[in-house]
Amino acid sequence: MLPTTLGERLRRGIEEDILAGQLAPGDVIDERLLAERYKISRTPIREALLQLSTMGLVSMRPRMPTRVASIDASTLLQMTEVMSCLEAQAARLAARRMSPAQREQLQKIQTEAGDVVKARDNAAFNDANWNLHLAIFAGSQNAYLAAQARQLRLRLHPYRCFLVRVGDRLSTAHAQHEDLVRAIVDGDGDAAFETMRRHLTLDSEQFADLVSLMPKPIDEDGPAREERAMPVH
């Protein structure tokens, strides 16, 4: 669905910056720069930021700059547990309900991701990964589940991207996607559920790596990433 208001368009723009890694957890969101970038007044900016705050994507505190929300390790683990349940069910439903055209598109995304893996392009793989999971959500034919799964994945996306940087996890994630796509395309709901659950579950080693790469919380050791400039396109 296309954005219908200035605030909605701005919200989607900030979401896209988070997905692209141009805004990372802890980054300050400068309302003045947003006004210049989008050629709009402060009113739709406040509307967009309030929407993002309600979604948990930004942190707004009195007399403090608005920032991209950070997640502590405990909350991250809990959110990952919920994400694995939601997306596993989405995969099960997609295996049962996807149209032939949707299955073909899902396979196309996975095939194109293979070239990205060969090129060792982490940023392009993150884009492909996002598109693949969204295709599965759409294929579930459950709009409420898809919306909840998308919102949670958006919040966790920057942190999941950190994992791709460690070792050979790019190839590992792609291989897991291959098993997942095969199960969905074959219509095997149980296999799709279990494959997605395993794909998203963090083992102790992965969780330790992720915590070591996470930005520091705002209230630990001073402001986090405050000097990083917000992108202006």
Side-chain angles (χ1 to χ4, degrees):
M1 182 181 297
L2 292 175
T4 56
T5 67
L6 284 174
E8 181 75 6
R9 181 166 65 89
L10 178 57
R11 178 183 68 78
R12 293 301 292 268
I14 295 173
E15 286 182 4
E16 289 169 4
D17 286 343
I18 292 172
L19 286 172
Q22 294 169 341
L23 282 173
D27 279 354
V28 172
I29 299 178
D30 190 319
E31 293 186 20
R32 180 182 55 81
L33 292 180
L34 286 174
E36 292 176 0
R37 173 179 169 185
Y38 287 91
K39 306 294 190 292
I40 56 178
S41 69
R42 293 291 181 92
T43 299
I45 292 173
R46 298 299 292 178
E47 175 191 335
L49 293 178
L50 285 170
Q51 289 179 22
L52 290 166
S53 177
T54 300
M55 296 167 62
L57 285 171
V58 304
S59 174
M60 301 178 71
R61 300 177 183 175
R63 298 180 297 281
M64 296 284 287
T66 300
R67 295 178 182 269
V68 179
S70 297
I71 302 172
D72 61 42
S74 175
T75 303
L76 178 67
L77 182 58
Q78 294 172 31
M79 292 173 70
T80 299
E81 289 175 343
V82 174
M83 182 171 73
S84 67
C85 294
L86 282 178
E87 295 204 21
Q89 180 63 11
R92 189 203 300 273
L93 293 177
R96 288 165 38 190
R97 299 175 176 176
M98 263 189 168
S99 68
Q102 287 177 314
R103 293 175 201 270
E104 183 178 344
Q105 177 62 21
L106 184 66
Q107 185 63 69
K108 181 174 183 289
I109 293 171
Q110 174 64 6
T111 300
E112 292 175 350
D115 296 331
V116 170
V117 173
K118 290 176 183 176
R120 313 302 300 172
D121 187 337
N122 287 350
F125 182 79
N126 289 333
D127 288 343
N129 179 59
W130 174 258
N131 291 333
L132 184 139
H133 283 268
L134 254 59
I136 293 171
F137 301 162
S140 74
Q141 310 296 342
N142 184 317
Y144 185 81
L145 173 60
Q148 297 303 308
R150 181 190 182 279
Q151 181 172 328
L152 187 52
R153 173 157 285 274
L154 181 59
R155 284 203 67 190
L156 291 176
H157 181 79
Y159 298 91
R160 302 291 303 190
C161 290
F162 292 146
L163 283 175
V164 175
R165 305 175 190 172
V166 181
D168 195 33
R169 295 234 169 97
L170 198 68
S171 298
T172 299
H174 182 64
Q176 292 171 345
H177 284 168
E178 188 67 33
D179 293 338
L180 175 62
V181 169
R182 184 181 305 111
I184 292 173
V185 170
D186 289 347
D188 190 337
D190 290 342
F193 181 96
E194 185 58 27
T195 303
M196 179 70 91
R197 188 193 64 78
R198 288 198 310 269
H199 172 56
L200 296 178
T201 299
L202 296 175
D203 61 31
S204 58
E205 183 178 277
Q206 288 175 317
F207 188 66
D209 287 342
L210 184 51
V211 169
S212 72
L213 292 167
M214 287 170 57
K216 293 180 181 178
I218 299 303
D219 56 356
E220 286 186 13
D221 300 328
R225 306 169 60 89
E226 188 170 7
E227 294 77 17
R228 205 176 108 114
M230 183 178 176
V232 179
H233 304 293

